[in-house]
Amino acid sequence: MAIDIKQVNTTAHTHVGKAKADVAKGSSQASQGAATASTSTPPKSDSVSITSQAQQLQSTQAKLANIPEVDQGKVEEIKLAIAEGRYKIDPEKLATNIAQFENELKDLN
């Protein structure tokens, strides 16, 4: 279906344009009045105060951000022990730790 755009009424669009111009003119006059009013009163300033507890929390978070998640020294020590054959695994301790971990996971649900 084709639309013949030659017959479109363009006068409706000019009213919208005039309304926008009138609004812009009115807002410019309002802003001039507001500018005059703002020069006569001192500008307000905002301030924020942080509690000592929040400051401690922020400090602790900053310190934790600098600590690596993995202890590379410990990782290297274990790698070296494995490579040299000195790293011994206690199967009973391993089984106990796995069972404990499974129970903790079960408790989360």
Side-chain angles (χ1 to χ4, degrees), residues 37-100:
S38 68
T39 57
S40 62
T41 59
K44 295 181 181 180
S45 64
D46 294 335
S47 65
V48 175
S49 62
I50 299 176
T51 65
S52 61
Q53 188 177 15
Q55 290 174 345
Q56 280 183 320
L57 179 61
Q58 189 176 30
S59 173
T60 303
Q61 286 175 333
K63 289 176 185 175
L64 286 175
N66 293 331
I67 297 173
E69 290 183 34
V70 177
D71 184 358
Q72 284 301 119
K74 184 74 172 178
V75 170
E76 293 302 320
E77 181 182 323
I78 292 171
K79 280 184 178 182
L80 182 61
I82 291 171
E84 294 175 350
R86 294 183 289 116
Y87 190 78
K88 302 293 181 208
I89 297 173
D90 182 2
E92 289 182 21
K93 184 177 178 182
L94 179 62
T96 302
N97 287 339
I98 291 173
Q100 181 182 0

Side-chain angles (χ1 to χ4, degrees), residues 2 6 8 14 18 26-29 33-34 37 40 43 47 59 68 85 92 105:
K6 294 179 184 175
V8 174
T14 59
K18 286 182 184 177
S27 67
S28 117
Q29 290 173 351
S40 62
S47 65
S59 173
E92 289 182 21
L105 286 178

